[in-house]
Amino acid sequence: MRLSRIEAVRFGRLDDVPLGPLGPGLNVVFGPNGAGKTSFTTLVRYVLYGFPTKRDSEPDYASSAGKRLGRLVFVDDTGEWVVERTEGVRGGLLGVQARSGAERPDLVADVTHGVSRNEFRVVFGFGLRDLPEIEPGTGSSGVLSRLYAAGAGLAVSPHNVREAIETE
């Protein structure tokens, strides 16, 4: 199963802006500041885990066009599915629809199984404001640091580098 397309229908300044098709393996998205790179990364997390509540300290990416709405398209050898989340209570209304293949109402649970919202953010949506989350003590014995390193293809994790420096 892989993510093949991200659709920002109403998300911050992104209004009906798609990103894709995404290929198998590593995809690199680049552009100047303000182009939407962080917005797309955040949109993926919000669609999979729910929009933040007012008491969360995350950016809300409010849209002047109406309630926030994002879609993710997943594919594998057996079909294609659209996961859509619209802003609303308790993280928003989530829907999963098969474009082809069997219905998969548990697709989001399957895709996110064993990965918390915070771990997902650190590994797949890493930014400067996320650096404190990689510090020792904020994760499970540097688990977030090691997940980030693995996700980024690094041979060592920031946690291991910090330990080596402190030892010296």
Side-chain angles (χ1 to χ4, degrees):
M1 173 83 48
R2 70 177 178 82
L3 180 62
S4 68
R5 186 175 172 91
I6 305 167
E7 299 176 2
V9 180
R10 290 185 301 273
F11 194 70
R13 296 184 324 198
L14 302 176
D15 190 16
D16 287 322
V17 179
L19 180 62
L22 303 172
L26 178 67
N27 288 268
V28 176
V29 178
F30 63 94
N33 288 343
K37 301 176 301 291
T38 301
S39 296
F40 275 111
T41 302
T42 304
L43 178 62
V44 170
R45 185 173 74 251
Y46 288 3
V47 170
L48 292 176
Y49 292 93
F51 288 105
T53 64
K54 292 186 188 290
R55 58 192 153 133
D56 292 326
S57 62
E58 295 190 49
D60 68 0
Y61 292 90
S63 172
S64 60
K67 289 185 175 185
R68 294 171 292 178
L69 170 61
R71 289 189 197 107
L72 307 177
V73 180
F74 289 93
V75 298
D76 70 11
D77 293 338
T78 65
E80 180 178 70
W81 299 267
V82 176
V83 175
E84 180 176 284
R85 188 177 299 266
T86 306
E87 177 180 12
V89 296
R90 291 186 220 102
L93 180 62
L94 177 69
V96 178
Q97 182 179 22
R99 283 190 177 162
S100 65
E103 293 293 327
R104 297 193 59 182
D106 296 329
L107 178 69
V108 173
D110 293 343
V111 169
T112 61
H113 180 75
V115 179
S116 73
R117 178 187 190 101
N118 189 45
E119 289 166 341
F120 183 92
R121 180 175 52 93
V122 170
V123 173
F124 299 105
F126 180 79
L128 290 177
R129 84 175 136 236
D130 301 313
L131 280 173
E133 298 297 325
I134 296 177
E135 294 297 318
T138 60
S140 304
S141 303
V143 168
L144 293 178
S145 175
R146 290 179 179 94
L147 283 171
Y148 169 71
L154 301 175
V156 296
S157 73
H159 179 76
N160 292 348
V161 171
R162 183 184 188 112
E163 283 181 342
I165 291 170
E166 288 174 349
T167 300
E168 285 186 30

